[in-house]
Amino acid sequence: MSFEDARNALLIAYAAGFLDDEEFIVLYDYYLPVNPSFPYWNFDPFCLDVFDSCECEAHFRVAKDDIPIPLTNCFGFIDGTVRPICRPGEKQRVVYNGHKRVHALKFQSVVVPNGLIANLYGPVEGARHDAGMLKDSGLLQTLEREAYNPRGDVLCLYGDPAYPLRPHLMALYRIGEVPVFTADMEAFNSAMSSARASVEWLFGDISNSFKFLDFKKNLKLGLSAVGKQYIVSALFRNILTCLYGNTTSTHFQLDPPTVQDYLA
């Protein structure tokens, strides 16, 4: 029982006549808390995402972009994207994505902090799960063979809960899969989810740079190279990033390579 609960119980007992004036005063003063009462229930839980960079610097004396990512061996982020297409005349169930409720092709992308798509796999049918795409791409085997720093330490990608947990592939902590879900785990999830949003930014950059990708009525399987169009658009988006940067490279404060270095 807290001091506040004890004082409330004393008030109830005094009002009911179980304590006289002297007893009430002595006991009420005895249970006076040392720390001042703070009405935390009147305030929203703390969330760093609601502060912009200027507010963060004013309140905490540090720029928001300077707050480190908790996963220090992470070098990129992996995610799948669903690209809607025109409903095909046959085998519609193969390309139908039940989650988005559209006929689509899917691609798997790995985004690195300098704003480039470092690896792109696809297209695959829209009904394919992200974990199935990962298996078919062979990316996990490549990471197990190549993803180490000069000291031999493991480097990893970070993805959403759809991906399996591996030394080279990390995801957020999930309630029910850990014995105790702590506040530190929740803070880790929040920080890494904010960083992983860079994948979504890059998906948006591709669509915004090449608007025809959003006109699904013109994206007809068998009549146009729908998958190749997206792959080529991603390549040209990387070239634009080398020339002008993008939101991801600005967020992580890492410059992309020059066009000459990228195409060399």
Side-chain angles (χ1 to χ4, degrees):
M1 179 182 290
S2 65
F3 283 106
E4 184 179 359
D5 292 337
R7 286 161 70 90
N8 289 335
L10 288 172
L11 288 171
I12 295 172
Y14 179 69
F18 294 110
L19 300 173
D20 58 30
D21 294 344
E22 184 177 355
E23 290 174 331
F24 173 74
I25 292 172
V26 170
L27 292 173
Y28 198 76
D29 287 341
Y30 180 79
Y31 285 103
L32 179 67
V34 177
N35 298 319
S37 177
F38 182 78
Y40 59 87
W41 52 87
N42 293 332
F43 298 87
D44 294 329
F46 175 78
C47 179
L48 185 64
D49 294 338
V50 303
F51 294 94
D52 60 29
S53 187
C54 293
E55 290 175 323
C56 214
E57 195 164 359
H59 287 293
F60 311 119
R61 302 298 185 267
V62 61
K64 187 173 182 178
D65 294 339
D66 292 337
I67 297 175
I69 296 176
L71 195 59
T72 56
N73 65 330
C74 176
F75 73 93
F77 304 92
I78 183 173
D79 199 6
T81 182
V82 177
R83 300 303 312 166
I85 61 173
C86 183
R87 184 178 63 183
E90 56 184 15
K91 298 182 179 179
Q92 297 176 5
R93 290 188 178 183
V94 176
V95 294
Y96 184 75
N97 183 276
H99 178 62
K100 299 289 186 180
R101 297 185 178 181
V102 293
H103 295 87
L105 298 178
K106 293 187 71 174
F107 295 84
Q108 174 186 277
S109 298
V110 174
V111 175
V112 288
N114 63 2
L116 295 182
I117 298 175
N119 182 277
L120 181 65
Y121 174 75
V124 300
E125 59 273 21
R128 185 72 62 89
H129 191 271
D130 285 353
M133 244 194 325
L134 175 68
K135 180 181 178 181
D136 293 343
S137 70
L139 177 62
L140 198 55
Q141 289 75 18
T142 302
L143 292 173
E144 292 171 349
R145 187 174 61 251
E146 305 289 347
Y148 299 90
N149 67 15
R151 298 190 304 271
D153 300 326
V154 171
L155 299 176
C156 73
L157 296 175
Y158 186 85
D160 61 30
Y163 295 102
L165 287 175
R166 298 289 187 274
H168 293 276
L169 183 57
M170 302 300 294
L172 52 76
Y173 291 100
R174 286 164 276 195
I175 298 176
E177 295 188 5
V178 291
V180 178
F181 188 75
T182 66
D184 288 340
M185 292 178 181
E186 186 175 3
F188 173 89
N189 288 352
S190 178
M192 290 304 299
S193 294
S194 298
R196 198 185 68 83
S198 59
V199 183
E200 306 294 339
W201 299 338
L202 208 47
F203 290 156
D205 287 342
I206 296 173
S207 299
N208 291 331
S209 298
F210 305 96
K211 294 293 187 180
F212 69 91
L213 294 174
D214 284 334
F215 291 101
K216 67 177 184 178
K217 290 185 178 180
N218 291 334
L219 302 177
K220 299 179 180 180
L221 293 178
L223 297 181
S224 59
V226 180
K228 289 183 179 179
Q229 289 175 1
Y230 187 82
I231 294 172
V232 173
S233 297
L235 173 63
F236 277 105
R237 180 60 249 186
N238 272 359
I239 294 174
L240 288 173
T241 299
C242 292
L243 292 171
Y244 308 111
N246 60 15
T247 307
T248 302
S249 62
T250 301
H251 176 76
F252 289 106
Q253 299 180 358
L254 287 174
D255 293 330
T258 64
V259 176
Q260 291 78 8
D261 290 339
Y262 176 66
L263 296 178

